[in-house]
Amino acid sequence: MEVRDWIILALIILFSLIYWYRGRSRRIAGEKPAKTNAKVRVMLEEAGYEIVKAKPTVKVRMDIDDKQHPFELKSDYLVTKNGRKYLVRIRRDGKQARFQSKMWRSSLIRDVLAFQTAGILILNTEKETLHQIRFRI
């Protein structure tokens, strides 16, 4: 192969990766960040996060015996920081949470995998706390 063949191959691979990445991020629907709660927006921006989407949703299709069962997974916000995407859940109760409990773990890892993010942020507006949770598989 000549040098120009390698260049053409590299360009094809680059465009394929860009197409794949853009298609992956487009499957998350949501509202524009301008419609967000002011207190939440301030807390996230002070922590260095940029709101990408409010109320992000991912459409999921489950097949059982060749029968389709579509549903949607929803969250509160999708944010970015240092080139990484994070999902945000807002805690609406004042209770102390044990995020390592079985119920929370299952729910959080499901959302991280479905939305394909680097982690999840739990934001408590009453106590003004922000917890970052990441999984390593």
Side-chain angles (χ1 to χ4, degrees):
M1 288 178 87
E2 294 182 24
V3 174
R4 72 171 179 212
D5 295 332
W6 285 107
I7 292 172
I8 292 171
L9 182 62
L11 287 173
I12 291 171
I13 291 171
L14 178 66
F15 286 122
S16 298
L17 287 172
I18 292 170
Y19 178 77
W20 171 78
Y21 181 75
R22 289 183 71 201
R24 199 178 118 195
S25 61
R26 275 193 209 138
R27 52 183 223 109
I28 300 174
E31 296 178 5
K32 294 182 179 180
K35 299 180 180 182
T36 60
N37 181 333
K39 186 174 184 178
V40 170
R41 185 173 49 238
V42 168
M43 287 180 69
L44 289 170
E45 287 174 355
E46 284 179 356
Y49 295 95
E50 178 187 346
I51 299 174
V52 176
K53 291 187 181 179
K55 299 181 183 175
T57 58
V58 171
K59 293 182 180 182
V60 181
R61 188 186 77 215
M62 182 171 63
D63 296 333
I64 301 174
D65 296 330
D66 296 328
K67 200 173 194 183
Q68 294 182 7
H69 301 276
F71 62 94
E72 290 182 344
L73 289 177
K74 298 179 181 185
S75 194
D76 294 315
Y77 294 96
L78 183 67
V79 298
T80 60
K81 183 177 181 179
N82 300 328
R84 292 183 172 199
K85 289 189 301 184
Y86 294 92
L87 204 56
V88 178
R89 273 202 191 169
I90 297 178
R91 288 289 311 248
R92 290 174 174 81
D93 57 2
K95 297 178 183 176
Q96 183 67 23
R98 288 185 53 236
F99 300 122
Q100 67 272 25
S101 71
K102 186 176 182 178
M103 180 188 77
W104 271 97
R105 277 192 324 244
S106 298
S107 176
L108 295 176
I109 198 165
R110 176 204 67 197
D111 289 349
V112 167
L113 292 173
F115 284 90
Q116 298 177 346
T117 59
I120 192 162
L121 305 172
I122 306 296
L123 178 67
N124 189 328
T125 55
E126 293 173 8
K127 294 183 180 180
E128 296 187 1
T129 58
L130 181 67
H131 299 281
Q132 182 187 81
I133 301 168
R134 295 186 329 194
F135 296 92
R136 296 179 192 192
I137 299 173

